[in-house]
Amino acid sequence: MKLPPLKSLPVFEAVARLNSFSRAADELNVSQSAVSHQIKQLETFLGEPLFQRQGRSLALTREGQDYLEGISSALFQIDKATGQLLGRQDSSVRLAVFSSFAVRWLVPRLPDLHRQHPEVQLVLEMTGEHPVLSGRVADSFITINTDSPAFSYDLLYRERLFPVCSRQYWQDMDTDELTPETLASHPLLSTFSIYNRTCGDWEAWFAEVDSVVPPSTQVQHFSHMLLALEAARYHQGIALTNDYMLSNRDDAGDFVRLPLHSVVTGDNFYFASKISRRHEPGLRALKQWLLAQADDSGLLAAGSGENA
């Protein structure tokens, strides 16, 4: 077994994370020259430069990025194992999650997580539609991205979209003969960022019944489903949303789901974590809790393909 200078590894991790020799020295309570010495010793051992230094700027080289990815998980697991042996009970877990999923589904349920697993200290990180699955980003993810073979994926939800409006808007509508065609006479609130086409969400919804959005339809565009749902709350028209967006226990009653069809988007939401870390208590507890919540709230069954 050929190991590098072990004292240099946490120094390298700190410099890479903080992007600064001086800040790493402050965090580790050592001198900056000591930090520089440890990094030089590690680079000499590896025979590769780990950082690019240009004036005051500092960046990881490609080799440095690859090496950080490889050792971060190992350092984390050493810290976890040591903490458990020393009797440290708290388990900090970083979860990267879409903002809409966090705001509308996850955050309202966190008190239950705290009651069931007070030892889990959850840190939420907002993520984009296709996050990089990496320990540098988070310990676990709620994602539709399943392209990394180093991760395991547990299904939480198969997304479907259906039309909703505010309760007041519903009361003012003529609902005697509600069809896709009559619906198109109302303002449609579109989340165009979901699809790379103009009002693509509504186009997909109409196409599900072999129809199209009439040219005369008034369409208002939003860059996020949260914004479109808020516009619907304030009686501005009809939005397409999904099951987890209506799961907020405090205000789900503000909306009416129209008795029309839904469309499956093909986006499946998974809890993802590294296979190599599957036995860590914090990650295991979080996964089991999320799966139970998805089941209990009907999220797992909701996207199974049935229409309203």
Side-chain angles (χ1 to χ4, degrees), residues 101-114:
F101 195 96
V103 171
R104 299 294 303 177
W105 190 86
L106 179 59
V107 171
R109 290 171 167 77
L110 287 184
D112 183 78
L113 174 65
H114 297 152

PDB file of all heavy atoms in Angstrom, residues 101-114:
ATOM      1  N   PHE A 101     -38.907  21.711  -5.094  1.00  0.00           N
ATOM      2  CA  PHE A 101     -39.128  20.510  -4.284  1.00  0.00           C
ATOM      3  C   PHE A 101     -38.863  20.813  -2.810  1.00  0.00           C
ATOM      4  O   PHE A 101     -39.603  20.363  -1.932  1.00  0.00           O
ATOM      5  CB  PHE A 101     -38.218  19.385  -4.772  1.00  0.00           C
ATOM      6  CG  PHE A 101     -38.600  18.025  -4.252  1.00  0.00           C
ATOM      7  CD1 PHE A 101     -39.388  17.174  -4.998  1.00  0.00           C
ATOM      8  CD2 PHE A 101     -38.166  17.595  -3.006  1.00  0.00           C
ATOM      9  CE1 PHE A 101     -39.745  15.916  -4.517  1.00  0.00           C
ATOM     10  CE2 PHE A 101     -38.513  16.338  -2.513  1.00  0.00           C
ATOM     11  CZ  PHE A 101     -39.309  15.507  -3.279  1.00  0.00           C
ATOM     12  N   ALA A 102     -37.825  21.591  -2.553  1.00  0.00           N
ATOM     13  CA  ALA A 102     -37.490  21.932  -1.171  1.00  0.00           C
ATOM     14  C   ALA A 102     -38.574  22.780  -0.538  1.00  0.00           C
ATOM     15  O   ALA A 102     -39.045  22.497   0.568  1.00  0.00           O
ATOM     16  CB  ALA A 102     -36.144  22.657  -1.120  1.00  0.00           C
ATOM     17  N   VAL A 103     -38.984  23.832  -1.242  1.00  0.00           N
ATOM     18  CA  VAL A 103     -39.936  24.791  -0.668  1.00  0.00           C
ATOM     19  C   VAL A 103     -41.313  24.180  -0.491  1.00  0.00           C
ATOM     20  O   VAL A 103     -41.957  24.353   0.551  1.00  0.00           O
ATOM     21  CB  VAL A 103     -40.016  26.051  -1.551  1.00  0.00           C
ATOM     22  CG1 VAL A 103     -41.150  26.967  -1.114  1.00  0.00           C
ATOM     23  CG2 VAL A 103     -38.692  26.816  -1.496  1.00  0.00           C
ATOM     24  N   ARG A 104     -41.789  23.452  -1.501  1.00  0.00           N
ATOM     25  CA  ARG A 104     -43.170  22.998  -1.481  1.00  0.00           C
ATOM     26  C   ARG A 104     -43.369  21.638  -0.811  1.00  0.00           C
ATOM     27  O   ARG A 104     -44.450  21.350  -0.303  1.00  0.00           O
ATOM     28  CB  ARG A 104     -43.714  22.930  -2.912  1.00  0.00           C
ATOM     29  CG  ARG A 104     -43.732  24.253  -3.635  1.00  0.00           C
ATOM     30  CD  ARG A 104     -44.700  25.231  -3.027  1.00  0.00           C
ATOM     31  NE  ARG A 104     -46.068  24.702  -2.979  1.00  0.00           N
ATOM     32  CZ  ARG A 104     -47.092  25.342  -2.441  1.00  0.00           C
ATOM     33  NH1 ARG A 104     -46.911  26.525  -1.892  1.00  0.00           N
ATOM     34  NH2 ARG A 104     -48.284  24.804  -2.434  1.00  0.00           N
ATOM     35  N   TRP A 105     -42.343  20.775  -0.827  1.00  0.00           N
ATOM     36  CA  TRP A 105     -42.540  19.425  -0.278  1.00  0.00           C
ATOM     37  C   TRP A 105     -41.645  19.127   0.914  1.00  0.00           C
ATOM     38  O   TRP A 105     -42.124  18.651   1.953  1.00  0.00           O
ATOM     39  CB  TRP A 105     -42.293  18.373  -1.370  1.00  0.00           C
ATOM     40  CG  TRP A 105     -42.706  16.985  -0.971  1.00  0.00           C
ATOM     41  CD1 TRP A 105     -43.951  16.440  -1.085  1.00  0.00           C
ATOM     42  CD2 TRP A 105     -41.870  15.969  -0.382  1.00  0.00           C
ATOM     43  NE1 TRP A 105     -43.947  15.144  -0.611  1.00  0.00           N
ATOM     44  CE2 TRP A 105     -42.675  14.832  -0.169  1.00  0.00           C
ATOM     45  CE3 TRP A 105     -40.524  15.914  -0.024  1.00  0.00           C
ATOM     46  CZ2 TRP A 105     -42.191  13.661   0.397  1.00  0.00           C
ATOM     47  CZ3 TRP A 105     -40.024  14.745   0.537  1.00  0.00           C
ATOM     48  CH2 TRP A 105     -40.858  13.636   0.742  1.00  0.00           C
ATOM     49  N   LEU A 106     -40.362  19.409   0.800  1.00  0.00           N
ATOM     50  CA  LEU A 106     -39.414  18.950   1.816  1.00  0.00           C
ATOM     51  C   LEU A 106     -39.458  19.783   3.090  1.00  0.00           C
ATOM     52  O   LEU A 106     -39.604  19.232   4.195  1.00  0.00           O
ATOM     53  CB  LEU A 106     -38.001  18.943   1.238  1.00  0.00           C
ATOM     54  CG  LEU A 106     -36.881  18.515   2.199  1.00  0.00           C
ATOM     55  CD1 LEU A 106     -37.133  17.105   2.726  1.00  0.00           C
ATOM     56  CD2 LEU A 106     -35.533  18.594   1.503  1.00  0.00           C
ATOM     57  N   VAL A 107     -39.299  21.087   2.961  1.00  0.00           N
ATOM     58  CA  VAL A 107     -39.170  21.943   4.151  1.00  0.00           C
ATOM     59  C   VAL A 107     -40.368  21.818   5.094  1.00  0.00           C
ATOM     60  O   VAL A 107     -40.187  21.720   6.315  1.00  0.00           O
ATOM     61  CB  VAL A 107     -38.926  23.411   3.739  1.00  0.00           C
ATOM     62  CG1 VAL A 107     -39.021  24.337   4.947  1.00  0.00           C
ATOM     63  CG2 VAL A 107     -37.544  23.553   3.081  1.00  0.00           C
ATOM     64  N   PRO A 108     -41.619  21.797   4.596  1.00  0.00           N
ATOM     65  CA  PRO A 108     -42.749  21.639   5.531  1.00  0.00           C
ATOM     66  C   PRO A 108     -42.721  20.339   6.323  1.00  0.00           C
ATOM     67  O   PRO A 108     -43.347  20.234   7.382  1.00  0.00           O
ATOM     68  CB  PRO A 108     -43.981  21.693   4.608  1.00  0.00           C
ATOM     69  CG  PRO A 108     -43.527  22.457   3.414  1.00  0.00           C
ATOM     70  CD  PRO A 108     -42.097  22.046   3.222  1.00  0.00           C
ATOM     71  N   ARG A 109     -41.969  19.338   5.847  1.00  0.00           N
ATOM     72  CA  ARG A 109     -41.923  18.039   6.524  1.00  0.00           C
ATOM     73  C   ARG A 109     -40.706  17.873   7.427  1.00  0.00           C
ATOM     74  O   ARG A 109     -40.592  16.848   8.120  1.00  0.00           O
ATOM     75  CB  ARG A 109     -41.939  16.920   5.472  1.00  0.00           C
ATOM     76  CG  ARG A 109     -43.279  16.798   4.771  1.00  0.00           C
ATOM     77  CD  ARG A 109     -43.231  15.842   3.586  1.00  0.00           C
ATOM     78  NE  ARG A 109     -44.588  15.527   3.140  1.00  0.00           N
ATOM     79  CZ  ARG A 109     -45.336  16.341   2.413  1.00  0.00           C
ATOM     80  NH1 ARG A 109     -44.841  17.498   2.015  1.00  0.00           N
ATOM     81  NH2 ARG A 109     -46.571  15.995   2.067  1.00  0.00           N
ATOM     82  N   LEU A 110     -39.810  18.836   7.442  1.00  0.00           N
ATOM     83  CA  LEU A 110     -38.578  18.690   8.210  1.00  0.00           C
ATOM     84  C   LEU A 110     -38.802  18.530   9.719  1.00  0.00           C
ATOM     85  O   LEU A 110     -38.010  17.838  10.368  1.00  0.00           O
ATOM     86  CB  LEU A 110     -37.642  19.872   7.941  1.00  0.00           C
ATOM     87  CG  LEU A 110     -36.972  19.877   6.565  1.00  0.00           C
ATOM     88  CD1 LEU A 110     -36.000  21.040   6.452  1.00  0.00           C
ATOM     89  CD2 LEU A 110     -36.258  18.556   6.292  1.00  0.00           C
ATOM     90  N   PRO A 111     -39.832  19.151  10.318  1.00  0.00           N
ATOM     91  CA  PRO A 111     -40.039  18.880  11.755  1.00  0.00           C
ATOM     92  C   PRO A 111     -40.200  17.400  12.067  1.00  0.00           C
ATOM     93  O   PRO A 111     -39.764  16.937  13.124  1.00  0.00           O
ATOM     94  CB  PRO A 111     -41.326  19.668  12.068  1.00  0.00           C
ATOM     95  CG  PRO A 111     -41.302  20.807  11.102  1.00  0.00           C
ATOM     96  CD  PRO A 111     -40.731  20.216   9.837  1.00  0.00           C
ATOM     97  N   ASP A 112     -40.805  16.647  11.133  1.00  0.00           N
ATOM     98  CA  ASP A 112     -40.946  15.200  11.351  1.00  0.00           C
ATOM     99  C   ASP A 112     -39.590  14.516  11.310  1.00  0.00           C
ATOM    100  O   ASP A 112     -39.321  13.601  12.100  1.00  0.00           O
ATOM    101  CB  ASP A 112     -41.872  14.608  10.285  1.00  0.00           C
ATOM    102  CG  ASP A 112     -42.118  13.131  10.510  1.00  0.00           C
ATOM    103  OD1 ASP A 112     -42.942  12.801  11.388  1.00  0.00           O
ATOM    104  OD2 ASP A 112     -41.480  12.301   9.824  1.00  0.00           O
ATOM    105  N   LEU A 113     -38.707  14.946  10.409  1.00  0.00           N
ATOM    106  CA  LEU A 113     -37.350  14.391  10.372  1.00  0.00           C
ATOM    107  C   LEU A 113     -36.633  14.666  11.686  1.00  0.00           C
ATOM    108  O   LEU A 113     -35.957  13.789  12.238  1.00  0.00           O
ATOM    109  CB  LEU A 113     -36.562  14.990   9.203  1.00  0.00           C
ATOM    110  CG  LEU A 113     -35.075  14.614   9.132  1.00  0.00           C
ATOM    111  CD1 LEU A 113     -34.901  13.122   8.891  1.00  0.00           C
ATOM    112  CD2 LEU A 113     -34.362  15.415   8.045  1.00  0.00           C
ATOM    113  N   HIS A 114     -36.760  15.878  12.199  1.00  0.00           N
ATOM    114  CA  HIS A 114     -36.087  16.238  13.452  1.00  0.00           C
ATOM    115  C   HIS A 114     -36.622  15.428  14.627  1.00  0.00           C
ATOM    116  O   HIS A 114     -35.880  15.077  15.541  1.00  0.00           O
ATOM    117  CB  HIS A 114     -36.251  17.732  13.714  1.00  0.00           C
ATOM    118  CG  HIS A 114     -35.609  18.585  12.662  1.00  0.00           C
ATOM    119  ND1 HIS A 114     -36.060  19.864  12.344  1.00  0.00           N
ATOM    120  CD2 HIS A 114     -34.568  18.335  11.825  1.00  0.00           C
ATOM    121  CE1 HIS A 114     -35.302  20.353  11.376  1.00  0.00           C
ATOM    122  NE2 HIS A 114     -34.403  19.449  11.042  1.00  0.00           N
TER     123      HIS A 114
END
